[in-house]
């Protein structure tokens, strides 16, 4: 008996250097019954032609050519044409382990779940590789969550990440869910709705998805005013939690505090972000709910205390910390020191 069809949606835009690695990793999956949807988002380079070439080499690949509309629009285009019983997403500069979809599918079936999530490798351009979950590999237990339990884990952003790429979804999850065209952090926008819609979520900390931390990626780009979309979305998320799972309302506020603290640092010294940064500093200087502050990790409580002491000192120390964090010599030690919430 054939296994159900899994659709894998790959938005493609200006990734000539990485596209073949990405597509080959999907074609090489041990789970064979795949529909690989390559969405050429009006890429100005040779990516469109490469997609067509890949489709000639593997009958499981179908190509959608469209005008440029951004990552969200490309993913939506893939969702509109997919025919699989399950759906996954891979960004075109990333790649996946050969058994990723086999493992996630088997976890879905064994646990009668609607979403399966795996771990993530963070692969840097300088050849360093880290685990997104600092608890791995010490902890390898498979866990299951109800929708609301998963929403709480989402605020911690360790086991259940905001990304759609480390997951396999039952098709129905996306029946009435689409990403807002042109919006950055589209995963952050839709993930709460996806989790709330699921009856059960299963998670394995073992990493299968390679997230390539290139210098030019959206999330690593120099901070610009558009980056503050994340704080706007975080405020929307607080409202979502208050309405749909008020028991974790303060966890959502704690997560918002963490995001704002990080944005203050990353925007420090960038003149184009002056107004947005000033607004975040003002917001953080207001009286914050004690219930939310108590839910901060030890590391983030230290950050908040340092921020309240002096914003300039906070930014200087955090930039020094991040420069040390990125050093391959002490990276493991720093991860251990700050891995516990």
């Amino acid at each position: 008996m054939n296994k159900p069809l899994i659709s894998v949606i790959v938005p493609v835009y200006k990734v000539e250097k990485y596209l073949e690695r990405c597509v080959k990793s999907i074609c090489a999956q041990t789970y064979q019954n795949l529909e690989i949807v390559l969405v050429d988002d009006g890429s100005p380079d040779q990516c469109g032609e490469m997609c067509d070439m890949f489709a000639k080499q593997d009958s499981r690949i179908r190509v959608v050519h469209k005008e440029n509309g951004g990552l969200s629009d490309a993913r939506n285009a893939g969702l509109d044409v997919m025919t699989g019983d399950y759906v996954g997403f891979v960004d075109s500069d990333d790649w996946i382990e050969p058994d990723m979809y086999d493992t996630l599918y088997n976890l879905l079936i064994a646990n009668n779940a609607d979403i399966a999530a795996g771990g993530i490798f963070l692969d840097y351009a300088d050849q360093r590789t880290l685990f997104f979950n600092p608890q791995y590999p010490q902890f390898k237990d498979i866990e299951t969550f109800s929708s609301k339990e998963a929403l709480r884990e989402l605020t911690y952003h360790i086991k259940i990440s905001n990304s759609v790429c480390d997951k396999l979804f039952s098709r129905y999850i996306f029946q009435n869910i689409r990403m807002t065209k042109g919006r950055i952090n589209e995963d952050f926008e839709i993930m709460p709705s996806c989790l709330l819609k699921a009856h059960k979520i299963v998670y394995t900390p073992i990493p299968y998805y390679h997230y390539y931390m290139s210098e030019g990626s959206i999330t690593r780009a120099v901070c610009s005013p558009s980056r503050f979309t994340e704080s706007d979305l975080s405020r929307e998320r607080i409202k979502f939690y208050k309405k749909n799972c008020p028991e974790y309302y303060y966890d959502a506020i704690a997560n918002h505090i963490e995001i704002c603290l990080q944005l203050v640092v990353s925007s420090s010294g960038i003149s184009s972000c002056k107004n947005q940064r000033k607004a975040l500093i003002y917001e953080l200087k207001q009286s914050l709910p004690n219930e939310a502050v108590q839910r901060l990790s030890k590391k983030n409580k230290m950050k908040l205390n340092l921020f309240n002491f002096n914003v300039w000192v906070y930014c200087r120390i955090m930039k020094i910390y991040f420069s040390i964090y990125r050093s391959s010599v002490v990276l493991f030690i720093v991860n251990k020191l700050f891995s516990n919430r």
Side-chain angles (χ1 to χ4, degrees), residues 251-276:
D251 296 276
I253 296 177
N255 185 232
H256 177 66
I257 294 171
E258 295 171 13
I259 289 169
C260 291
L261 285 170
Q262 179 56 42
L263 283 171
V264 168
V265 174
S266 60
S267 63
S268 177
I270 300 176
S271 58
S272 62
C273 299
K274 181 179 179 180
N275 291 336
Q276 291 90 342

Side-chain angles (χ1 to χ4, degrees), residues 21 25 38 90 114 128-129 176 182 218 231 281 288 297 311:
R21 177 182 67 185
S25 75
L38 304 181
V90 179
D114 308 294
R128 285 183 296 119
T129 298
N176 298 305
I218 293 174
S231 60
I281 292 173
L288 300 172
S297 66
V311 176

Side-chain angles (χ1 to χ4, degrees), residues 38-306:
L38 304 181
V39 183
D40 169 27
D41 191 33
S43 189
D45 53 13
Q46 299 300 309
C47 282
E49 289 82 355
M50 292 175 69
C51 289
D52 291 333
M53 179 187 69
F54 295 140
K56 291 178 181 178
Q57 297 172 351
D58 193 319
S59 61
R60 298 175 298 174
I61 295 176
R62 58 186 300 192
V63 181
V64 176
H65 295 285
K66 59 180 289 296
E67 293 183 358
N68 179 251
L71 181 60
S72 299
D73 195 47
R75 285 177 172 169
N76 289 341
L79 286 168
D80 290 341
V81 302
M82 59 155 283
T83 61
D85 302 290
Y86 300 92
V87 58
F89 301 84
V90 179
D91 286 346
S92 49
D93 53 351
D94 300 335
W95 70 99
I96 58 179
E97 289 292 302
D99 56 342
M100 173 169 162
Y101 286 120
D102 225 341
T103 300
L104 295 183
Y105 169 75
N106 287 330
L107 283 173
L108 280 177
I109 299 305
N111 294 276
N112 193 27
D114 308 294
I115 300 174
I120 300 174
F121 290 106
L122 301 177
D123 292 272
Y124 289 79
D126 62 6
Q127 307 302 311
R128 285 183 296 119
T129 298
L130 303 178
F131 300 121
F132 177 80
N133 185 342
Q135 298 171 344
Y136 182 84
Q138 286 83 359
F139 299 97
K140 298 182 181 180
D141 292 343
I142 292 170
E143 298 181 68
T144 59
F145 304 105
S146 67
S147 59
K148 290 192 176 182
E149 289 169 342
L151 282 166
R152 185 184 186 189
E153 290 295 329
L154 185 65
T155 67
Y156 296 154
H157 196 50
I158 295 176
K159 297 176 182 178
I160 304 296
S161 75
N162 286 298
S163 176
V164 296
C165 293
D166 59 344
K167 300 175 179 69
L168 181 63
F169 301 85
S170 295
R171 177 190 178 95
Y172 87 90
I173 295 292
F174 284 96
Q175 282 181 350
N176 298 305
I177 294 176
R178 289 296 186 271
M179 306 170 199
T180 302
K181 181 178 179 179
R183 176 171 271 184
I184 297 175
N185 296 311
E186 64 286 336
D187 298 34
F188 193 100
E189 174 190 20
I190 67 165
M191 192 52 62
S193 297
C194 290
L195 295 177
L196 185 66
K197 197 170 182 179
H199 301 294
K200 185 188 289 186
I201 298 90
V202 58
Y203 166 76
T204 172
I206 299 174
Y208 297 97
Y209 190 90
H210 290 265
Y211 181 63
Y212 185 56
M213 306 291 284
S214 65
E215 291 299 328
S217 68
I218 293 174
T219 53
R220 285 175 61 82
V222 173
C223 190
S224 65
S226 63
R227 276 289 306 279
F228 289 83
T229 302
E230 188 173 358
S231 60
D232 296 334
L233 288 171
S234 181
R235 293 186 194 93
E236 292 180 16
R237 181 173 285 189
I238 291 171
K239 296 177 182 177
F240 178 95
Y241 274 68
K242 186 174 184 179
K243 177 182 178 181
N244 295 290
C245 50
E247 59 267 47
Y248 302 133
Y249 170 65
Y250 290 112
D251 296 276
I253 296 177
N255 185 232
H256 177 66
I257 294 171
E258 295 171 13
I259 289 169
C260 291
L261 285 170
Q262 179 56 42
L263 283 171
V264 168
V265 174
S266 60
S267 63
S268 177
I270 300 176
S271 58
S272 62
C273 299
K274 181 179 179 180
N275 291 336
Q276 291 90 342
R277 181 172 177 269
K278 185 177 180 180
L280 283 190
I281 292 173
Y282 177 81
E283 181 179 349
L284 288 169
K285 287 291 185 180
Q286 303 308 300
S287 178
L288 300 172
N290 184 61
E291 295 90 339
V293 173
Q294 293 307 312
R295 285 166 169 78
L296 291 172
S297 66
K298 293 179 181 179
K299 176 178 68 174
N300 285 302
K301 284 179 183 177
M302 290 171 58
K303 287 183 182 180
L304 183 61
N305 289 334
L306 188 57

